[in-house]
Amino acid sequence: MEMNQYLNLFIEESREHLQALNEHLLSLETEPKNEGMVREIFRSAHTLKGMSATMGYEDMASLTHEMENVLDEVRNGKMSVSPEMMDILFQCVDYLEEMVHSISNQGDGRLDVSSVVSGLKRILSGKEVAASSALPPVGSTDVSEVNLLQDEELDWTFDEFELTVIRQSMESGFTVFWVRTAISIDCVMKAARAYIVYSGLEAHGEIIKCVPPVEELEQEKMDRLFDIVLITDKQNEDLEKVVLEVAEVDSVTIKQLDPHQFLYSTSNEIDVATPDVNPLEEAVQATKETAQVPKKETRTKTSSFHQTIRVDIEKLDILMNLFSELVIDRGRLEQIARELRHNGLLETVEHMNRISGDLQNTILTIRMIPLDSVFNRFPRMIRDLTRELDKKIELVIEGADTELDRTLIDEIGDPLVHLLRNSADHGIENPKQRLEAGKSETGTIFLRAYYSGNHVMIEVEDNGKGIGREGVLKKALEQNLITEQQVGSLTDKQVHELLFNSGFSTAEQISGVSGRGVGLDVVKTGIEALGGTISVDSTPGVGTRFLIQLPLTLSIISSMLVQVEHEVYAVPLSSIMETAVFSRDQIMSVQQREVIDFRGKIVPLINLKEIFQLPNQDVSLQEEVSVLIIRKGEKMAGLIIDSFIGQQDIVLKSLGKYLPNVFAISGATILGNGQVALIIDCNQLIR
Amino acid sequence: MGQEEQATQQMKVIVFQLFENQFGVDVSQVRSIERVVEITKVPRVPSFVKGVIHLRGAVIPVIDLKERLMLDEQPLTDDSRIILLIVNGYEVGAIVDAASDVVDIPLEAIEPPPQMMAAGVDMKFLRGIAKLSDQLLVLLDLDRVLNTEEIEQIFEGEGLGT
């Protein structure tokens, strides 16, 4: 039971430490003399060891223990960093990742680590055998802890506010206890234990002081002792029981603070103050004063760390759903207000609109996560790839702080892995070829993210050999994707597009790194499923750039409502270029398809009534045709509709599992009048 | 089915009409009975799928049960109702001519479906026939009636999606 409670915390923290290990190992590899890095790595390994041992994952604990031994030697200057050591340490991290993965999938986290362990041992034995390192370094802190144990005095004082509170509670008949808890010396999750003690006591009264402060307890910035001052109506024995019930607590000392001392020394002050000052006011005053002091403290602190809370993702999803309901009602209210033309109502609705707009932005930003959480695993991946491919590649990441909705974050990782591997494998040449081509030996892959309007763009660019037109055409012919006649007429852009066809891979040989012919088309489908687009452009000999465009969020989309026959449809603004009205004689016919001239470009027309098989009125009678110019990447099309209704934020709802994959419909939304409007998926209309 | 093993040896059934015939579905598969609201047509789906409706914040697909079972469509009347069914975890609204009653049927009154059409309905959609004192009740096998595999086949068969 108790373990379960910590399992999630354990997994999450383990992942953070593994990520830190990866990052620091990479830095260490570039600067092997950096002692600070060694210390960081040691610390992560040590923490992992402690956590895993408490949770009972022995394989993990023993592996981290062995890592620690090696790192300890490095830290103490008895050994220097060698490439072999780095390789083994990286392997260790891989094993650890595998274990954590297994644990997070309800596994037991067991794994045969003998190969890396023997590797670590081999490194150790290569040096003068320092057997002492087998001792966990926890022991070294023993001395100071003993000292503290003897120090039984209350060596801290109460401030004004605390004194006031203590005094007032004593007057109201509460007792104030000072509780000193000593946590077992070999407890590895002190913070967790301390927290259980803290919340246990909190349940029985009010904690007015904690030394060291709670924040430090949470970060385990303490030895085995901590003190809590508690106002309660419980007895000494009750509290003792509460504390001792917590596992790994060695002892507890509970003393009642002497009421006389407090009441006497402070009553004088009260006499001076009380005649005309309301006690409540005084308390408020006191609170204000103290409230100001910690504020200053936190202000200086915030520069070093953000104040954050972890929230269950499910709760955010629920919040988002609730808000979408609200958006629907907002639309309805707007409509009613317009119909009634009641000024007060209109004003209120207007105000509500503004507030809910802000609320929407806030909720959306809460769900945003920096892309860093996806990007951070790539440096390690590229490092391994360079080894595997025997190439020299540098990865440059820009804009990792760009934020994206978490549903998108979860999905974008795999496509990016594909693209990066693709660039490393097919794009960047090997060092010899690069030198021959007059380039620097080391190839560079840029991974950039930035905002562009309502979108986030992610670029994967390499300065490799680019996409060879001839190679692509040859492959496409073999795969029967194009005909001989088409070869000459295809533009470079169209040739590049061929890469996204299923079953297409230009790799001469199938390598372990990328390309079994299921590469780029999977990437494309994946990204389009997220409502995004991907395009590629390339210059032979200079490099290739993949550009991914993603919406900021998925569930609430700005759209244009249009009417066709009696039905209302929503078209996402992201795929609309423009709205236009053409007179009938502007419509031309090319190869039996209706087209229009839109700013010098010939754009095919799509008649929604035909596509959706709606009963067709005789439209030819109308003088003018309303057209929505939509786009998908570079391609455009004109959607013929009956009339424009207007712009509106809509909430995307699925059509339900009973109707999967309806053609050209990505979902439905509920309008202000309670009607359902279908959302048109322009990607499927343009081919 | 779990309900059939109940100690009471009875089954609660929602009774509704299609044309002049009485049909029944297990009450545990019915979430609610609604008046017919405005239906938004969905393009290029099988014709028995009438579209989608808005029901308390959700979008629900609606089928015409008569058309599905008997391949015969009739205009809606004031008595027409949408029965909100839950089958295999998805919600579907079914249009019926009228929803009249909830009855308890003793299990022994249920007979397996006959080897022929009953009430003009293909036997593959039937779960059984209940003989009550004054009427015959045709019990539907909703898993079959609302089978999505078949819908997807229809999608492909009609060459939709191109």
Side-chain angles (χ1 to χ4, degrees), chain A residues 572-599:
Chain A
L573 280 190
S574 56
S575 27
I576 299 178
M577 288 188 71
E578 221 164 299
T579 58
V581 177
F582 291 93
S583 67
R584 193 143 281 280
D585 50 17
Q586 280 178 289
I587 299 178
M588 300 169 286
S589 180
V590 174
Q591 290 173 344
Q592 279 136 31
R593 286 196 68 179
E594 291 192 319
V595 297
I596 41 162
D597 181 345
F598 176 70
R599 296 172 196 234

Side-chain angles (χ1 to χ4, degrees), chain B residues 30-64:
Chain B
V30 177
R31 173 160 286 180
S32 62
I33 296 171
E34 310 282 340
R35 289 183 175 280
V36 178
V37 292
E38 185 155 357
I39 301 176
T40 301
K41 292 193 191 76
V42 177
R44 303 174 76 159
V45 288
S47 69
F48 64 83
V49 178
K50 291 291 125 183
V52 288
I53 56 166
H54 166 209
L55 211 56
R56 292 179 288 272
V59 174
I60 314 264
V62 174
I63 64 166
D64 187 326

Side-chain angles (χ1 to χ4, degrees), chain A residues 325 328 567 569 611-613 653-663 665 668-670 674-678 687, chain B residues 38 40-45 48-49 52-54 57-59 61 63 89-90 92 145-146 148 151-152 155 161-162:
Chain A
E325 300 293 316
I328 292 168
E567 305 287 341
Y569 295 96
I611 293 270
F612 286 168
Q613 296 163 353
K653 305 230 171 211
S654 92
L655 286 183
K657 280 187 251 172
Y658 186 68
L659 290 178
N661 311 322
V662 177
F663 172 69
I665 299 295
T669 190
I670 296 161
Q675 258 186 26
V676 181
L678 299 177
R687 308 223 140 220
Chain B
E38 185 155 357
T40 301
K41 292 193 191 76
V42 177
R44 303 174 76 159
V45 288
F48 64 83
V49 178
V52 288
I53 56 166
H54 166 209
V59 174
I63 64 166
Y90 44 81
V92 177
V145 176
L146 302 178
T148 42
I151 284 215
E152 275 171 70
F155 269 99
T162 49

Side-chain angles (χ1 to χ4, degrees), chain A residues 27 125 195 341 370 538 656:
Chain A
S27 329
S125 60
Y195 181 72
R341 290 163 199 258
S538 172

Side-chain angles (χ1 to χ4, degrees), chain A residues 354-408:
Chain A
R354 272 203 303 275
I355 290 180
S356 66
D358 290 350
L359 187 60
Q360 178 176 340
N361 281 336
T362 315
I363 293 178
L364 290 183
T365 43
I366 291 176
R367 292 169 52 92
M368 302 280 241
I369 301 174
L371 271 165
D372 186 46
S373 56
V374 182
F375 285 3
N376 59 21
R377 60 179 146 134
F378 294 144
R380 171 68 203 282
M381 190 185 89
I382 293 292
R383 173 202 177 266
D384 291 354
L385 278 177
T386 53
R387 292 292 181 92
E388 217 173 300
L389 297 165
D390 211 11
K391 290 179 181 176
K392 291 193 173 168
I393 303 172
E394 183 195 9
L395 177 68
V396 179
I397 294 180
E398 290 168 15
D401 53 348
T402 311
E403 292 185 332
L404 205 56
D405 191 280
R406 62 149 277 272
T407 20
L408 291 164

